[in-house]
Amino acid sequence: MPQLTVVVPAYNEAAVLEAFHRRLSAVLDALPLDTAVLYVDDGSTDGTWAGLEALVAHDPRVHALKLSRNFGKEAALTAGLDHVTEGAAVVIDADLQDPPELIPELVAKWQAGHDVVYATRSARAGETRLKRLTAAGFYRTMERLSDTPLPRDTGDFRLLSRRALDALARLRERQRFMKGLFAWIGYRQTAVHYQREPRQAGRTKWNYWRLIQFAIEGITSFSTAPLRLATWVGLGSSLLAFVYGLWVLTKALIWGDPVRGYPTLMLVILFLGGVQLLALGVIGEYLGRSYAETKQRPLYFVEEERRHGDLSPRG
Ligand code: UDP
Ligand code: MG
């Protein structure tokens, strides 16, 4: 039984898979632990699954799961972690942006008694200035809004002890903001610092649209601050409207009121309309989330599972 399983979500990573596995294997070979690698093919459309089958055939340490479609990284990670039934797990990206060479350091902290050892990046080489800036802004915003403080500049690259994995397995919410969930479970958490490298090959699946979605997801699944903000904006604008109303009334009573004031009227209507729509949107965002949650759908489906030595593919 492996004491440590490395979980790797992979979506269209055929270009880096071999290089990644070679580097990872070198690291694992040097570890005085019983190790396994679990790849989760998140519905790739390139040669990723074929590549994984080849790895499984050659390396007894490798297991592979194939999800029934692309469920997204968070679900792929969850699928992987669910299948780690014994020992601890390390979560790492397949694109070599998280250096496998850091794993021994994570393991050392784990053996010193920590439950969650996360890797915090000190530099982001090969990423555009804009991405770095937006990422920084995202973490700062999250920090202010969220009820569960997130460690800064931390991706999913981390080690989870057995009890951390057991705790995580009990969080079955559909809106899986993994960084938040990892932090939410608590236990003894600590950081290890490293330099983040540029992607080796292939393309990032992130674009700004996905990043914005991700940010909204992160904020709404870990904070109700936007709801409160809507309340405050509503309160503030009603107060302003009241004061202005008093002024208009007084003015009309004292000086009378020839038909004027179309611009102010328009302004107030448009402004209040905007605020109301915004607040509705925020409420809708949370309502949509509750709706998705109440459906209680499974988080993923496994189409195939391969282990070294399997004769026939399992469904
Ligand atoms: N990934 C996945 N499913 C997806 C998108 C990404 O399993 O729908 C995997 C991907 O193969 C990689 C990791 O998640 O191992 C991180 O993805 P990516 O490098 O695109 O994100 P970034 O490093 O730019 O944040
Ligand atoms: Mg990447």
Side-chain angles (χ1 to χ4, degrees):
M1 278 300 130
Q3 296 162 284
L4 183 73
T5 306
V6 179
V7 174
V8 192
Y11 177 52
N12 293 345
E13 299 287 5
V16 270
L17 206 57
E18 252 200 73
F20 171 78
H21 192 68
R22 220 173 309 121
R23 252 175 84 178
L24 180 65
S25 297
V27 171
L28 297 185
D29 286 340
L31 272 181
L33 286 174
D34 201 358
T35 55
V37 185
L38 173 60
Y39 286 98
V40 183
D41 177 358
D42 186 17
S44 298
T45 49
D46 65 351
T48 301
W49 182 244
L52 288 180
E53 284 182 315
L55 286 183
V56 170
H58 290 110
D59 189 343
R61 193 153 47 193
V62 179
H63 305 169
L65 288 182
K66 181 186 162 107
L67 300 189
S68 60
R69 65 170 172 86
N70 178 240
F71 282 92
K73 182 184 178 184
E74 321 274 308
L77 260 182
T78 307
L81 293 177
D82 284 347
H83 282 76
V84 180
T85 49
E86 222 130 319
V90 165
V91 171
I92 189 170
D93 282 2
D95 58 8
L96 285 171
Q97 274 188 299
D98 306 331
E101 290 73 21
L102 200 71
I103 293 176
E105 271 184 65
L106 301 180
V107 167
K109 294 254 177 167
W110 166 49
Q111 286 172 335
H114 293 282
D115 292 288
V116 180
V117 189
Y118 50 86
T120 298
R121 45 193 174 235
S122 2
R124 290 175 152 239
E127 287 182 350
T128 60
R129 216 202 176 120
L130 193 64
K131 178 156 184 200
R132 251 178 288 174
L133 252 156
T134 42
F138 170 65
Y139 285 113
R140 308 294 176 270
T141 315
M142 278 302 294
E143 212 160 80
R144 308 196 98 206
L145 290 184
S146 172
D147 310 325
T148 320
L150 287 186
R152 272 186 197 189
D153 295 327
T154 297
D156 291 327
F157 186 22
R158 64 188 68 216
L159 186 146
L160 299 150
S161 74
R162 188 64 244 166
R163 60 179 182 174
L165 284 171
D166 289 338
L168 204 63
R170 294 182 54 190
L171 308 182
R172 302 313 288 179
E173 60 216 75
R174 278 199 56 76
Q175 255 74 48
R176 300 189 77 70
F177 182 65
M178 290 305 263
K179 286 187 236 283
L181 299 182
F182 289 143
W184 190 85
I185 57 170
Y187 294 116
R188 302 185 56 191
Q189 310 215 355
T190 190
V192 159
H193 295 269
Y194 76 108
Q195 303 262 328
R196 193 157 210 231
E197 294 160 56
R199 221 173 201 289
Q200 288 300 98
R203 285 183 37 227
T204 173
K205 278 96 208 168
W206 287 113
N207 52 42
Y208 275 95
W209 181 238
R210 254 180 130 149
L211 210 65
I212 290 169
Q213 308 253 58
F214 188 66
I216 292 181
E217 180 113 3
I219 289 165
T220 49
S221 54
F222 273 88
S223 158
T224 47
L227 286 176
R228 220 166 309 137
L229 185 73
T231 313
W232 284 117
V233 171
L235 211 68
S237 50
S238 343
L239 212 73
L240 281 179
F242 181 71
V243 172
Y244 182 64
L246 272 187
W247 159 242
V248 169
L249 190 69
T250 321
K251 212 171 61 163
L253 285 181
I254 299 177
W255 295 287
D257 189 31
V259 182
R260 266 188 22 243
Y262 174 75
T264 34
L265 200 66
M266 217 42 203
L267 209 105
V268 169
I269 288 175
L270 287 181
F271 175 71
L272 285 187
V275 169
Q276 282 172 8
L277 282 183
L278 185 78
L280 269 181
V282 170
I283 294 167
E285 193 68 40
Y286 284 93
L287 193 67
R289 257 142 236 281
S290 313
Y291 176 56
E293 249 14 290
T294 51
K295 283 190 281 195
Q296 290 286 311
R297 286 190 186 156
L299 301 172
Y300 55 85
F301 285 112
V302 176
E303 186 178 325
E304 274 182 69
E305 190 174 347
R306 291 289 161 85
R307 273 162 202 279
H308 187 74
D310 275 359
L311 291 178
S312 58
R314 277 191 256 175

